[in-house]
Amino acid sequence: FGEGRLVLVDPMTLRKPAASVLAKVVAHREAVLQALNQGAATLQAVGIEPPLDRASLFEFVDGHRMRIKLDDHRLQPEQLQQNILDEPDRYSPSAALRPIVQDAVLPTLATLGGPGEMAYLWQVDLIYQVMQVRRSTLWPRSSATVVDDAIAETAGRFGLTGAGLLDAPAHLTAYDSAMFSPPPPASSDLDQLRATSVKLRELMRGIQPDVPASSSQRADRAIEYHTQKLIRLVTETRLARLGKSKGDLGRVVAAIRPHGKPQERTANVLEFIARYGWSWIDQIINEIDPTVMQHHLVRMTPTDT
């Protein structure tokens, strides 16, 4: 971990030391399943939907991964335990058991997880007791949204600065071009257009006795509709020149919530490296304090490196 280096562990190298743990899971399978169900009930009691519905093992057979259900009445536990110990490379844990195996075979100081991961790590807490494994400390992973100078400047035109930039989706939903109309004299011609439309409709009502009522009403509605449509079009065009159109705000929203999801759920790390250069890794490490339990907004400046 010195100088920013990350050590990766090939899980295949852990199969042999994990074999005794998996064999013990099979030996205590009923208690393990009961612990998982109790964990689910605990989450439900506080309004969290349990993410795990089973604890199982996997066996590799002819290149295919086959699930071994711990509650399968056909299971022969003694034989399975021996198979695991004899051929450890063939067996691996499911998501419910993976944290327990990790903490049993590695000197794990802390386990980082997002909201979904934390939920299932809480759910398997009692399995640690069944397996007599000391669990590592749980720590929520840092959460951040990254924006560049252009997006931050565009958001600023809408009064969205600092953490307020994250409110952009709500502002887009409530967007009304009238809120950002250019002040006079830039809007004086549109005021004249509105006044002319009103005058024309008044003239139409003056000749109403000489035309069918339905025709007069259609003409009145058409004048109002097309006048308002033209005003919106002109307003949007002028706001676009100022960088304050609905499309501009939409680009801000697309940057911080791509495809309507949090950026960190959809963006790939290589995307940020391509955009900001390798130095973005050091920048974001310096910007984010992992001890602060809040969502971070990180402003980045693209580089040529």
Side-chain angles (χ1 to χ4, degrees), residues 199-240:
K199 183 65 175 177
L200 181 57
R201 293 168 66 196
E202 290 175 350
L203 292 173
M204 288 292 298
R205 283 192 287 272
I207 63 173
Q208 195 172 38
D210 301 319
V211 297
S214 58
S215 298
S216 175
Q217 291 169 359
R218 282 198 301 272
D220 185 83
R221 288 194 297 268
I223 292 171
E224 171 67 8
Y225 171 78
H226 288 290
T227 299
Q228 294 302 324
K229 182 178 179 179
L230 182 59
I231 289 173
R232 285 195 300 271
L233 178 60
V234 172
T235 300
E236 279 289 320
T237 301
R238 292 177 177 177
L239 287 173

Side-chain angles (χ1 to χ4, degrees), residues 23-145:
K24 188 175 181 180
V25 166
V26 175
H28 297 82
R29 62 193 183 282
E30 293 182 2
V32 167
L33 294 174
Q34 183 179 3
L36 184 69
N37 292 333
Q38 289 178 340
T42 300
L43 291 181
Q44 288 176 325
V46 295
I48 299 176
E49 184 64 26
L52 301 172
D53 59 359
R54 67 180 67 177
S56 54
L57 306 182
F58 291 106
E59 179 182 7
F60 287 85
V61 180
D62 297 328
H64 298 282
R65 193 174 72 160
M66 311 296 291
R67 184 184 295 275
I68 301 175
K69 299 179 181 179
L70 295 180
D71 59 353
D72 190 339
H73 67 278
R74 298 169 299 178
L75 189 68
Q76 298 178 333
E78 292 79 10
Q79 184 61 55
L80 178 57
Q81 291 175 64
Q82 193 60 52
N83 292 344
I84 293 173
L85 295 173
D86 291 343
E87 300 181 82
D89 288 348
R90 288 175 50 194
Y91 298 90
S92 64
S94 66
L97 300 173
R98 200 170 296 130
I100 290 89
V101 171
Q102 167 196 278
D103 289 350
V105 302
L106 292 174
T108 312
L109 176 64
T111 298
L112 305 182
E117 294 161 323
M118 281 297 181
Y120 82 70
L121 288 169
W122 289 328
Q123 186 177 348
V124 302
D125 185 66
L126 292 177
I127 300 180
Y128 278 87
Q129 298 179 26
V130 172
M131 296 295 296
Q132 296 181 321
V133 173
R134 183 173 179 269
R135 78 169 308 155
S136 55
T137 299
L138 300 184
W139 195 264
R141 65 165 170 76
S142 296
S143 176
T145 296

